[in-house]
Amino acid sequence: MKPVLQIKNLRKDIGKKTIIHDLSLDVFAGEVFGFLGPNGAGKTTTIRMIVGLMGITSGEVLINGISIKKDFAKAIQHVGAIVENPEMYKFLTGYQNLLHYARMVKGVTKERINEVVELVGLEKRIHDKVKTYSLGMRQRLGLAQALLHKPSLLILDEPTNGLDPAGIREIRDYLRKLAKQEGLAVIVSSHLLSEMEMMCDRFAIIQHGRLVGIESVQDLVNSSQKVLLNVNPVEEAVSIIRQIYSNALRQVTKQGIEISVEREQIPAINAALVSKGVKVYGIQTVAKSLEERFLEMTGGNEIA
Amino acid sequence: MPSFISLIQNENMKIYRRMSTWVMIGLLALATIAGALMIKGTHKEEATGDWKKQIIAENQTLKAQLSEGNMPKAYNKQLEKQLRINEYRLEHELKPIASNSFWGFVVESSNLIEFITLFTIVIAAGSVANEFSWGTIKLLLIRPASRSKILLSKYAATILFAVCMLLFLLISSFIVSAVVFGVENVRDPYLAYQDGRVVETSMILHVLSVYGLNSVNLVMMVTFAFMISTVFRNSSFAIGLAIFLMFTGSQITMLLAAKFEWAKYSLFANTNLMQYIDGIPPVEGMTMSFSIMMLLVYFAAFNSLTWLIFKKRDIAA
C-alpha cells in the first residue's frame, strides 16, 4: 500500500539550533496516527512543515507522492488541518467562515458545506457569530473546515484540547470512523499518552525533535500487561504464581495480587489457581504498561 | 486552485462584515454634511456686485509683488498665473467660484480625502497583521492558493476599499452640495493656465483631477502601512507609524528641503503632485516627471519588500 504521507529525513534549523532532527515516517490510508511527545518536543513544528506553514531546511514531505515544497498547491489540496487551536473569524458566522474556506478550493458546493455542517452537528448554530461559540463548537467548526474539500490526509493538532470528556469521546469515535469508513489517513498530536492509546492505531514518540520510536497500540496491548488478581487465600496464590512464572509477581496490595505477564499467560495462571483450589474472584488488566513503556523509551518523567 | 475573484470576495467579506468599517463610512458621510453646514454658517451672503472690485484690488497687490522681483522664480510664476486668471475673469464677467457654491464645496470637500487615507491605512494595517493576531493565518495559508496570490488579493481589496470610499465621497459631496448650496453655478467653467494662456475647461474634469492627484498620496501611504503590517505583523504599529508620517512627513521634508538638496529624494517631497499645478515644489528644479519616477521607485520597493517577507516567513503565530 502506498502511504498517504511520507516524511523523509525531515530537518528544521532555526538560527543555529536544530529543532527537528532527521525525522522519517510513513502514514497510511485508513489509520489514525499519533504524534506523542511532551510540550515543546517538536510535534507542532513537524505539523507546520507538513502543511507548508514553515520552511523545510532539508528532507522531504510527500503527500500522495507530491512534494509540499516543490508543488505546494497540488500537494496541499489533499490535506485538511487544524494547527493548534481552531481559530476562526469571530465576527463572521460559522457558515460565513466555511464559505470563506470553501471559496479557496475548487469544487466545494453549497450542498457540500451543508453536508459537512450536518456531519459535525452544528446545524442549529451555524448562522450565529463564532464569538458566541463554546470551545467545543469551535473545535467542530474547525473540523468542518478541514473536511470541506474531502481531503485524504487529515491533520489535527491537539484535537481534544479544551473539550469535556463527552466531547473528547465524540471526537475520538468520529476520527476512528473517518479512518475506517472513509479511508482517510488521520494524524493527531497529543502530549497525553492515554489519549493516544484510545485514539490511534500507531503513534510516533517524539522527544527533543527526534523520533524516539513508532509503536503500534495493538502490539503494546498484546505484549506485557499488568494484571490484578482478586483471590483467596492470597498466600497460597502467591506461591503458585511463583512456581509457574517466577518473574511475574509485582506486589501484593489490599486490592489483590499485581502481576505482570503477557496476554496469553493469563488463562494459564487462572487455570493453575483454580486447579489448586484457590478462589478467583476477579482478574483485571490494569493498562499501565503503555505508560511504563513510554517512560522507558523517553527515559524520564518529562511527560505531562 | 481558487480564482483570484473568490479570494477578493473573501477579503471583502472580512472588511465589510466588520462594524468598524461601517463606522468609518458613517464618519465620512457625517464629515461631508458637517463641512457643508459649517461653510454655510460662516460664509454669509457676500455682496454680489463686489467681486469685481475685490479682484481689481487683488490684482494691484499682485502686480506690486511682481514688480519687486525679489521672490523665487516659482513663486513669481504662481503670482502671474493668478493675475492672468483674474484678468480673464474681469474680461469675461466670470464670477470666481466661492466655497459656498455648488462647485466650491465639491472642490473643498476633496480635503476629506485625508480622512479616506486614514481609514484605508486602518484597513491596510489590519489586512495581514490581524490574520496573525487572530491566529487565522494558519488556516488561511494551508489552502491551494499561493502566498503571493493571497497577499495580492489583500492588497487589491484594500485599494478597492479606497476607490469605493472616494466614489462615495464624490457622490455624497455632489448631493450634499446640491442640497445645501443649490446648483446655481453648475455651468461655470474652470479656468486653467496653460502655456501662458488662460483656458476654460470643465469643472467636473478639474474635480476628478484633484481627486486623482490626492489619491497618489493615499496609495503611497496605504502601501507603506501594508508593508509595515506585513513585516511587523502588528496592526497598531502600522497604523501609528503610517499616520505619524502622513501628518509630519511633509513638514519634516520641508525643513530638510530648505537646507539640503537631497530632500527631493524623500517620499514626502514627491507625494503631493498638486504642487506642480497649484503650488511650488519644495526643492527648485523638481518636475512632475521626476516625482512620478520617485513614486514608482518607492512603490516598487515597498511592494517587493512586503511580498518577499510574506512569501518567505515561517508561520509560527
Side-chain angles (χ1 to χ4, degrees), chain B residues 63-129:
Chain B
K63 276 179 192 154
Q65 276 182 318
L66 272 172
S67 61
E68 274 172 32
N70 52 6
M71 290 291 179
K73 227 172 100 188
Y75 188 67
N76 276 346
K77 258 188 169 167
Q78 199 53 34
L79 295 178
E80 193 171 322
K81 175 187 163 189
Q82 192 55 47
L83 186 65
R84 293 276 171 269
I85 289 177
N86 283 349
E87 281 168 354
Y88 192 90
R89 285 197 184 284
L90 288 173
E91 220 173 291
H92 294 82
E93 299 255 332
L94 284 170
K95 191 183 161 191
I97 291 173
S99 6
N100 61 344
S101 67
F102 178 77
W103 284 119
F105 178 71
V106 169
V107 172
E108 200 77 19
S109 64
S110 72
N111 285 326
L112 291 177
I113 292 176
E114 274 221 358
F115 261 50
I116 298 180
T117 308
L118 212 102
F119 294 157
T120 315
I121 284 174
V122 173
I123 298 281
S127 189
V128 175

Side-chain angles (χ1 to χ4, degrees), chain A residues 4 26 63 71 100 105 121 133 142 145 152 165 180 190 192 208 261:
Chain A
V4 175
D26 291 346
I63 295 157
D71 202 348
H100 176 267
V105 208
Y133 282 19
Q145 65 78 29
S152 49
K180 295 291 163 282
S190 178
L192 295 175
H208 302 311
V261 288

Side-chain angles (χ1 to χ4, degrees), chain A residues 189-238:
Chain A
S189 79
S190 178
H191 58 272
L192 295 175
L193 181 73
S194 52
E195 206 161 72
M196 288 281 129
E197 207 181 334
M198 287 188 279
M199 238 187 303
C200 301
D201 299 302
R202 294 191 303 147
F203 60 89
I205 299 171
I206 299 171
Q207 199 189 26
H208 302 311
R210 285 174 212 273
L211 183 67
V212 180
I214 296 179
E215 294 288 332
S216 152
V217 171
Q218 198 65 40
D219 289 354
L220 274 183
V221 169
N222 283 348
S223 63
S224 173
Q225 303 208 340
K226 197 175 271 182
V227 179
L228 194 67
L229 299 173
N230 190 350
V231 290
N232 192 32
V234 175
E235 294 76 23
E236 202 180 330
V238 169

Side-chain angles (χ1 to χ4, degrees), chain A residues 268-282:
Chain A
I269 290 179
N270 184 32
L273 291 174
V274 172
S275 69
K276 294 271 165 62
V278 176
K279 290 175 182 158
V280 180
Y281 295 98

